[in-house]
Amino acid sequence: MIATVSWAPSQVREIANGQWGAAREPRVGVMLHFDASSSDAGAVAWFSDPACKVSYQLLVLDDGSFVRIAPDSARAYHAGVCQPSEPRLGYRDANSALYGIAVATNERVDVTPLQLLTAAWLTRRYFALEGWPVTDAWRVVGHRTEAWPRGRKSDPEGADLKNPI
């Protein structure tokens, strides 16, 4: 018997911080992030602060719910200076080419099981939206694989850097 998991997280709010623009090229993948916060409240407060100059499409909270920060069609300011780690990605502008999903935590605080489940669910939703096969794991990246110079930032990743979740 094959076990199945039914999960449908909810969007709990939208933060219109305005830190996004028009996409410059087609989407080729998803970049997963830690947002560097120490709490959900701190993360939401930071992305609501006019001093914040970054964004993601989505921010995943401890309980598995998520917050929308930028529209899916937007160029969220999440990736910084990047170079493709995988030739099939072939992007010039990571902010335009990669959807940005952030988990509200940092490298010292474990991702909750519900955050992990939601990040995977949201990633799968983007795959379905774009018509990408679920076998294209190379489309899921993190800063460690993409940021230039390599290794300047730590984000969620598994043992296989070509398959972060």
Side-chain angles (χ1 to χ4, degrees), residues 17-35:
N17 76 0
Q19 295 303 313
W20 46 270
R24 300 176 181 167
E25 61 186 275
R27 299 286 185 196
V28 296
V30 177
M31 183 178 272
L32 301 177
H33 302 267
F34 290 141
D35 79 323

Side-chain angles (χ1 to χ4, degrees), residues 19 101 122:
Q19 295 303 313
I101 298 174
L122 292 168

Side-chain angles (χ1 to χ4, degrees), residues 87-108:
R88 291 175 285 186
L89 290 172
Y91 62 79
R92 290 176 309 281
D93 173 26
N95 287 317
S96 289
L98 303 168
Y99 291 105
I101 298 174
V103 177
T105 192
N106 58 55
E107 57 192 24
R108 295 173 308 283

Side-chain angles (χ1 to χ4, degrees), residues 122-165:
L122 292 168
T123 299
R124 176 64 182 101
R125 190 183 72 165
Y126 283 133
F127 270 59
L129 177 70
E130 295 293 341
W132 301 326
V134 294
T135 54
D136 283 2
W138 53 269
R139 293 183 184 277
V140 183
V141 298
H143 267 125
R144 185 165 156 193
T145 61
E146 304 305 295
W148 195 258
R150 297 286 190 242
R152 72 174 166 85
K153 190 158 187 310
S154 175
D155 279 316
E157 59 190 36
D160 178 357
L161 295 182
K162 294 287 186 184
N163 186 8
I165 57 173

Side-chain angles (χ1 to χ4, degrees), residues 34 62 103-113 115-116:
F34 290 141
D62 289 346
V103 177
T105 192
N106 58 55
E107 57 192 24
R108 295 173 308 283
V109 178
D110 288 340
V111 172
T112 70
Q115 283 176 312
L116 179 62

